[in-house]
Amino acid sequence: MKESFKVCFCCVRSFKVKSSEPPEEIKNLFHDYSQDDRMSADEMLRFVIQVQGETHADINYVKDIFHRLKHHGVFHPRGLHLEGFYRYLLSDFNSPLPVTREVWQDMNQPLSHYFLYTGHNSYLTGNQLNSNSSIEPIVKALRKGVRVIELDLWPNSSGKEAEVRHGGTLTSCEDLQKCLNAVKENAFQVSAYPVVLTLEDHLTPILQKKVAKMVSKTFGGSLFQCTDEYTECFPSPESLKNKILISTKPPKEYLQTQVSQGSTTDESIKAKKIADAEEQVQEEDEESVAIEYRDLISIHAGNRKGGLKNCLNGDPNRVIRLSMSEQWLETLAKTRGSDLVKFTQRNLLRIFPKTTRFDSSNYDPLVGWIHGAQMVAFNMQSHGRYLWMMQGMFKANGGCGYVKKPDVLLSNGPGGEIFDPCSQKLPIKTTLKVWSLSQFLFPVLEKRENILALCLWCMIR
């Protein structure tokens, strides 16, 4: 089988696709249910009923399979040939796990009890250094079921408007209003469950006021306004259907964060900068600036106060979202695994790729998942094994973008002990045996990470 692609706009280069030879069992099966090396719709129907056990299938079901295979270039007008039949067996159309659009998990628990399908720098089309910013990655992500979209907000060159871009890089910028419209129009195309819009803003108080008006006008009644009853516990995905939630730092905390990231270490200078910044807010009418922006926030993003030592202490009177890099997570997981689990029982934890992943590569999501991190943020425009694991994880629960965490991460043991994923003394609950019928069919299961992913899926089931 040959494929071709364009080189330098005008030249075309062809190459042969390497594919594994179908096993002898597959060949024999194909010959039993085909004539003249082609499998017709009637013969395919007989196969899916007698061999696959899909007793609900009819001729329209088979025609739908044939229609899908046309887009993969393996279908012939006379029927399916051996290679097409083999590719069908290994495709998502013939998934060994039940792929259903039905949401079957309990969706009435707080948001902190679920893993959320989360994107990172959702507007980038490629690498983190010089790729284009666009609404297209946002649209694609939402239509694949992603529920958490991230936008980085910066002042434009004139300083009078906010724009979306990856600060400190050569990436292009995108219009904020276009991004908000893309979210509004595509948020609930494949799932009615809430979309969280995380805003990493680097804006002045005046621009925060403009953004607040823009967000309110764009989303209108679909924007969730948080009330006091949800300060100690997040609402449930079920109660937030068709709602959009804004998550960012409140204005005052944002100012403190900006100052703390400065080069100075003099506490008196820092205090003066905070005072000057707060005075600026007051001069621009604090009533309409800070409060208007703050009221949009339904998931408060907290600061990592106290560094690694105290960042997981939490606030008994308020639930928050905490963000940390994959490196921070790996460091904490070695010595404070149970603290991470305890923190994520009430609060939200977002993990993002380390800054040196210039190529938009991703990391092992299992480290975050087994410690209860709800928002394991991925570069959705990328590719590779870890992204496949992420996509496979969120095919569960009808592909709604929310997967309930296993009970071991949500409740304490009989003696009040908290689950520690790194403990070497955990009792064996279930022994899982995997029998690989074809080395080509399950090559990824030879990897430790993918065995863990399968185990995690079984825990969720």
Side-chain angles (χ1 to χ4, degrees), residues 17 25 52 58 66-67 99 111 118 122 160 187 196 220 241 251 274 282-283 297 307 327-328 403 439:
V17 179
E25 296 88 342
Q52 302 281 77
D58 56 18
F66 281 9
H67 177 72
V99 179
L111 281 178
T118 304
S122 305
K160 296 181 179 180
V196 179
K241 273 188 171 181
I274 293 176
Q282 292 171 356
E283 289 175 354
I297 305 171
Q327 295 162 307
W328 268 54
V403 175
Q439 186 176 3

Side-chain angles (χ1 to χ4, degrees), residues 62-95:
V62 172
K63 287 181 178 179
D64 183 53
I65 294 175
F66 281 9
H67 177 72
R68 294 182 183 184
L69 290 173
K70 284 181 181 179
H71 301 290
H72 293 266
V74 295
F75 182 78
H76 190 275
R78 287 173 44 213
L80 210 59
H81 51 61
L82 175 59
E83 183 184 349
F85 177 67
Y86 186 43
R87 289 185 63 171
Y88 156 71
L89 293 177
L90 302 179
S91 70
D92 283 346
F93 315 142
N94 187 45
S95 174

Side-chain angles (χ1 to χ4, degrees), residues 78-180:
R78 287 173 44 213
L80 210 59
H81 51 61
L82 175 59
E83 183 184 349
F85 177 67
Y86 186 43
R87 289 185 63 171
Y88 156 71
L89 293 177
L90 302 179
S91 70
D92 283 346
F93 315 142
N94 187 45
S95 174
L97 301 178
V99 179
T100 173
R101 301 303 299 178
E102 180 183 355
V103 177
W104 54 269
Q105 293 180 331
D106 177 14
M107 302 300 287
N108 291 294
Q109 303 300 312
L111 281 178
S112 56
H113 288 202
Y114 301 85
F115 298 118
L116 282 68
Y117 202 175
T118 304
H120 172 254
N121 289 351
S122 305
Y123 50 89
L124 288 182
T125 58
N127 66 59
Q128 304 288 310
L129 291 179
N130 61 357
S131 65
N132 291 327
S133 299
S134 170
I135 65 170
E136 290 304 316
I138 298 174
V139 173
K140 289 181 180 179
L142 289 170
R143 291 187 176 179
K144 289 181 179 179
V146 174
R147 296 290 86 189
V148 183
I149 298 294
E150 180 188 26
L151 300 179
D152 289 324
L153 307 184
W154 293 81
N156 65 2
S157 56
S158 68
K160 296 181 179 180
E161 300 293 338
E163 64 183 13
V164 177
R165 61 182 168 89
H166 192 24
T169 68
L170 299 177
T171 56
S172 65
C173 61
E174 183 55 282
D175 182 69
L176 173 58
Q177 186 61 63
K178 288 183 179 179
C179 293
L180 296 178

Side-chain angles (χ1 to χ4, degrees), residues 378-393:
F378 260 38
N379 295 306
M380 296 299 171
Q381 75 276 25
S382 185
H383 56 84
R385 181 182 64 185
Y386 291 141
L387 183 58
W388 299 338
M389 291 169 61
M390 174 70 68
Q391 292 167 343
M393 173 72 164

